[in-house]
Amino acid sequence: MDGGGSDAAESTLYCARCAKPAHLQCPKCVELKLPRESAAFCTQDCFKASWSSHKSVHLKAKLSSLDSSTASDDWLYCLRKGQTRSAKLPHFDWTGALRPYPISKNRAVPSHVHLPDWAVDGVPKIEPNSDLQHVVEIKTPEQIEKMRETSRIAREVLDAAARFVRPGVTTDEIDAVVHEATIAAGGYPSPLNYHFFPKSCCTSVNEVICHGIPDARKLEDGDIVNVDVTVYYKGVHGDLNETFFVGTVDEASRQLVQCTYECLEKAISIVKPGVRFREIGEVINRHASMSGFSVVKSYCGHGIGELFHCAPNIPHYARNKAVGVMKAGQTFTIEPMINAGVWRDRMWPDGWTAVTADGKRSAQFEHTLLVTESGVEVLTARLPTSPNVFPWLKA
């Protein structure tokens, strides 16, 4: 809290809360060069009492500044699942402190890269009507080898993104890292234009559960951010995600992220032939509940291979009705989304970004798995070169 100067004009300022003569200025308002009249307070107590409502002034100022500075570069807000853009922040009953920021244009893909069938017009053709939406495919040895190769590339791409996460970096810049690393490896970023999704990865910050769209917002110290990467290479997909700490996070966020990591590890540990798919949700729900967290029910893991999403469906919550048992040669993802508060979600006006209904934080981890004759192979497993960003793995 900055003290005021001694010029005569200062004496005409009044507290924004109680209207008494004011000699203190909100330091953030000073930094943003906002009008002094709305940033003045008579005491530290008045400032603290006003903070919950006053801080919205800072957000509005940042968004206004961003709008004016990026308009000439065609940065716009995303609407209607990526099919519409707007120059104005949409109206919405936001559940938490996070807001969408404008997004850049879709990134270009070189002509030599093999494209999935949605890359040009945003519409998957083969996937929706495939028999593999109902039957769990047993992969051939050739398919499995391709999935190993693609999943390793996806892991290396996510690792590149992880090294880039820090305060001050925008999620759009993270998307650029993912895009360029994928193209450099000869792959296509599967999310790009999938049902019109406008970016090459998903970046889900704080209360965003999943499918956050990379935009112009700078990551802040104390944030958590999930980066979800899928690579299409040699005709198959490899999919994984991790939640990262931005700078120094609070203990509650650290516990949430570590618990989510553990939920995935415990679920993977039971994967082997003969286990029912529904058991995965029981394991995850048990561990999350014991830690005081809830499990998202609206989004599930999925089969993967030549199709981005197919059977089986992998719910992460207890008492689910998933059908079928695991067999050697099956490939699918497990990707629990764990919330600090209630499990329910809301959808932002962009049609993609799912956020917690109560505005509390959410974390997620994901791997692509292969069921083997004796157990499981984690196709997207961490490598010896993967960045050491999780404190619980350093012991």
Side-chain angles (χ1 to χ4, degrees):
M1 189 72 165
D2 294 340
S6 59
D7 55 89
E10 184 97 347
S11 63
T12 64
L13 296 176
Y14 297 93
C15 180
R17 179 170 182 260
C18 69
K20 292 179 180 178
H23 301 281
L24 299 175
Q25 291 271 292
C26 168
K28 193 67 176 179
C29 288
V30 172
E31 178 188 332
L32 295 171
K33 296 182 173 62
L34 299 182
R36 296 165 64 203
E37 291 75 15
S38 60
F41 293 90
C42 61
T43 64
Q44 288 277 2
D45 289 339
C46 264
F47 176 65
K48 291 176 182 177
S50 301
W51 178 247
S52 61
S53 58
H54 176 72
K55 64 183 179 181
S56 65
V57 173
H58 307 151
L59 179 62
K60 291 176 182 177
K62 287 180 181 179
L63 292 175
S64 176
S65 173
L66 188 63
D67 286 345
S68 60
S69 64
T70 60
S72 60
D73 297 325
D74 296 323
W75 288 68
L76 298 167
Y77 294 99
C78 177
L79 298 173
R80 294 185 60 243
K81 293 187 74 70
Q83 298 180 73
T84 302
R85 301 286 191 275
S86 171
K88 294 183 177 181
L89 177 70
H91 293 290
F92 187 69
D93 181 19
W94 311 102
T95 66
L98 196 70
R99 300 290 184 274
Y101 277 55
I103 68 171
S104 60
K105 292 182 178 180
N106 292 21
R107 304 189 191 281
V109 177
S111 59
H112 70 270
V113 173
H114 180 55
L115 305 177
D117 65 6
W118 58 80
V120 175
D121 63 3
V123 181
K125 286 76 171 179
I126 298 172
E127 184 175 291
N129 301 312
S130 171
D131 290 342
L132 297 182
Q133 297 301 336
H134 312 287
V135 178
V136 182
E137 181 181 34
I138 304 298
K139 301 295 192 294
T140 66
E142 292 77 16
Q143 288 175 312
I144 290 171
E145 193 52 45
K146 287 181 180 179
M147 289 203 65
R148 284 196 181 103
E149 191 173 359
T150 301
S151 295
R152 182 185 175 96
I153 292 172
R155 159 53 66 185
E156 291 170 342
V157 170
L158 181 62
D159 287 349
R163 295 185 186 97
F164 200 68
V165 171
R166 64 179 67 90
V169 168
T170 69
T171 50
D172 183 79
E173 291 171 323
I174 294 173
D175 183 73
V177 170
V178 168
H179 186 87
E180 295 304 322
T182 302
I183 297 301
Y188 179 91
S190 306
L192 184 58
N193 215 27
Y194 180 73
H195 292 289
F196 308 102
F197 188 82
K199 291 295 166 186
S200 298
C201 68
C202 300
T203 52
S204 301
V205 179
N206 296 343
E207 68 262 30
V208 178
I209 295 170
C210 62
H211 303 156
I213 301 173
D215 61 23
R217 180 187 180 272
K218 292 181 180 180
L219 294 174
E220 299 178 357
D221 187 66
D223 285 344
I224 59 173
V225 58
N226 177 275
V227 182
D228 194 338
V229 167
T230 311
V231 170
Y232 180 67
Y233 180 72
K234 293 187 177 180
V236 298
H237 301 270
D239 189 4
L240 78 162
N241 72 58
E242 292 179 340
T243 300
F244 305 112
F245 301 133
V246 182
T248 303
V249 304
D250 59 34
E251 180 62 18
S253 296
R254 190 199 65 76
Q255 290 177 1
L256 172 66
V257 173
Q258 182 172 348
C259 176
T260 307
Y261 182 95
E262 292 167 351
C263 283
L264 176 57
E265 291 297 301
K266 288 179 179 295
I268 291 172
S269 71
I270 72 164
V271 174
K272 63 182 180 180
V275 174
R276 286 186 265 188
F277 292 118
R278 70 179 64 169
E279 293 299 320
I280 291 172
E282 300 295 336
V283 170
I284 291 171
N285 198 87
R286 186 180 308 118
H287 188 65
S289 298
M290 287 176 60
S291 300
F293 301 128
S294 64
V295 181
V296 173
K297 298 182 180 181
S298 304
Y299 301 92
C300 300
H302 53 88
I304 188 170
E306 293 175 0
L307 301 181
F308 192 173
H309 299 94
C310 56
N313 191 45
I314 310 290
H316 304 117
Y317 53 90
R319 295 182 296 280
N320 67 77
K321 294 180 172 57
V323 176
V325 299
M326 301 175 196
K327 298 178 181 179
Q330 295 172 340
T331 54
F332 53 85
T333 71
I334 302 178
E335 46 187 297
M337 289 143 274
I338 308 300
N339 293 352
V342 300
W343 66 263
R344 296 185 184 277
D345 60 280
R346 295 274 307 281
M347 182 67 70
W348 273 6
D350 60 35
W352 280 107
T353 306
V355 296
T356 57
D358 57 8
K360 294 184 179 180
R361 291 188 168 188
S362 182
Q364 182 184 18
F365 284 86
E366 175 186 21
H367 276 306
T368 293
L369 309 171
L370 165 68
V371 182
T372 66
E373 293 292 346
S374 58
V376 61
E377 179 180 342
V378 182
L379 299 179
T380 49
R382 292 175 60 81
L383 303 169
T385 56
S386 295
N388 196 0
V389 294
F390 301 118
W392 55 88
L393 297 182
K394 296 178 182 179

